[in-house]
Amino acid sequence: MTLDESIGRVRREPNIKLHGAEAFHGMRKAGRLTAQGLDMLADEIRPGVTTQRLDDLAFQFAMDNGAYLATLFYRGYTKSICTSINHVVCHGIPDDKPLREGDIVNIDYTLILDGWHGDSSRMFGVGEIPRKAERLIEITYESLLRGINAVRPGATTGDIGFAIQRYAESERCSVVRDFCGHGLGQVFHDAPNILHYGSPGEGAELKPGMLFTIEPMINLGKASVKVLSDGWTAVTRDRSLSAQFEHTVGVTDTGCEIFTLSPAGRDNPLAPR
């Protein structure tokens, strides 16, 4: 979600919703199905496959499992997933161009099941990828984990951003500031905003029952991005590689629950299997 859009959402919804056990149950089901869909797509990513083919598979998976696709026709978007390749930061649009050996691609997938949203994205390598791309994926995944580890009652959204920014910049990478995580549940984009940079103690206080995404976008080069003429595709201005991982989480009494973990343990594409 862009910061401009998120600011508008906060003005319409100034109070951050706190959810109970029923919502957590619904989010578990939606998150698990989304993760299973990404597991399915992981087996299809190879040189020569088009991102439109992946989009078709994602659509059919949703239909086969009684789910709706949150992105399909959202604000005029006409695809089931976002596929962001190499220097594309986010919101890449599937098309008929085949993936090539050495590409890296982020797939962002959001399913609605029984009214609840499961929102997640992962990075994938196409065939053998360069070491610099592997390193970026490793740093971005670790950035996500550090952000999640900061989630607990009494912490703040600024604590999440600080944990991500401190680690990513210590690895000589940059954090994209034009997009952020967001609250969700029965609404796709809601309060609070989850910035992936910040200072400890700033922002909204985290309370049990909050539901939101954490989705850092990390660049090998500078943080600056631009949106192409299609109105969706965001790319790095310096053409450096970009990566992103995303989980949907809920704040619990003792920490947080991750709703979109892969049932097959495939959240990190570089981990040994």
Side-chain angles (χ1 to χ4, degrees):
M1 178 171 64
T2 67
L3 285 181
D4 287 344
E5 180 183 349
S6 69
I7 290 168
R9 169 60 66 182
V10 169
R11 287 174 180 162
R12 292 192 297 273
E13 184 60 55
N15 298 317
I16 299 171
K17 297 183 180 73
L18 301 181
H19 299 80
E22 181 180 353
F24 272 63
H25 176 70
M27 293 296 285
R28 286 185 198 109
K29 291 175 61 180
R32 181 180 177 87
L33 186 64
T34 300
Q36 288 173 323
L38 287 171
D39 287 347
M40 177 273 297
L41 292 173
D43 293 327
E44 302 295 328
I45 296 172
R46 63 182 69 89
V49 172
T50 67
T51 49
Q52 182 58 54
R53 166 65 176 164
L54 300 177
D55 192 82
D56 293 340
L57 290 169
F59 176 86
Q60 193 59 52
F61 180 85
M63 296 301 98
D64 291 345
N65 287 278
Y68 295 94
L69 295 141
T71 56
L72 189 59
F73 304 121
Y74 177 79
R75 294 178 177 262
Y77 191 77
T78 60
K79 301 295 181 177
S80 301
I81 56 177
C82 297
T83 52
S84 301
I85 302 169
N86 295 335
H87 71 290
V88 178
V89 175
C90 60
H91 303 158
I93 303 172
D95 59 23
D96 291 324
K97 183 178 179 180
L99 294 170
R100 299 180 300 177
E101 182 86 15
D103 283 343
I104 59 173
V105 57
N106 175 272
I107 297 181
D108 194 339
Y109 196 28
T110 307
L111 293 179
I112 308 170
L113 183 66
D114 299 329
W116 297 98
H117 288 72
D119 189 358
S120 185
S121 79
R122 296 183 208 162
M123 293 300 301
F124 301 94
V126 182
E128 186 173 346
I129 63 175
R131 175 55 193 151
K132 67 177 181 179
E134 285 186 344
R135 177 175 173 270
L136 176 62
I137 290 173
E138 291 167 351
I139 291 167
T140 306
Y141 185 70
E142 179 64 22
S143 295
L144 172 66
L145 296 183
R146 293 191 180 214
I148 291 172
N149 287 339
V151 177
R152 63 183 64 87
T156 68
T157 55
D159 295 334
I160 298 171
F162 177 72
I164 292 168
Q165 180 184 7
R166 178 173 60 176
Y167 174 71
E169 292 181 352
S170 76
E171 294 292 333
R172 302 182 303 283
C173 292
S174 62
V175 180
V176 172
R177 286 163 162 73
D178 298 71
F179 301 91
C180 61
H182 52 89
L184 82 171
Q186 292 182 307
V187 175
F188 190 8
H189 293 121
D190 211 341
N193 299 330
I194 305 297
L195 305 183
H196 304 115
Y197 59 93
S199 300
E202 290 185 345
E205 180 183 352
L206 304 182
K207 299 178 180 179
M210 286 184 179
L211 306 173
F212 51 81
T213 69
I214 303 175
E215 46 185 296
M217 287 148 271
I218 308 297
N219 297 345
L220 271 183
K222 296 180 179 179
S224 298
V225 307
K226 64 179 179 180
V227 177
L228 301 184
S229 60
D230 60 30
W232 288 101
T233 308
V235 300
T236 56
R237 286 188 176 274
D238 60 7
R239 307 274 303 180
S240 62
L241 291 177
S242 185
Q244 179 187 22
F245 283 92
E246 175 183 13
H247 273 314
T248 298
V249 305
V251 184
T252 67
D253 290 335
T254 57
C256 79
E257 179 176 349
I258 306 172
F259 299 119
T260 46
L261 285 172
S262 164
R266 302 178 70 177
D267 300 287
N268 181 358
L270 299 182
R273 293 182 57 193

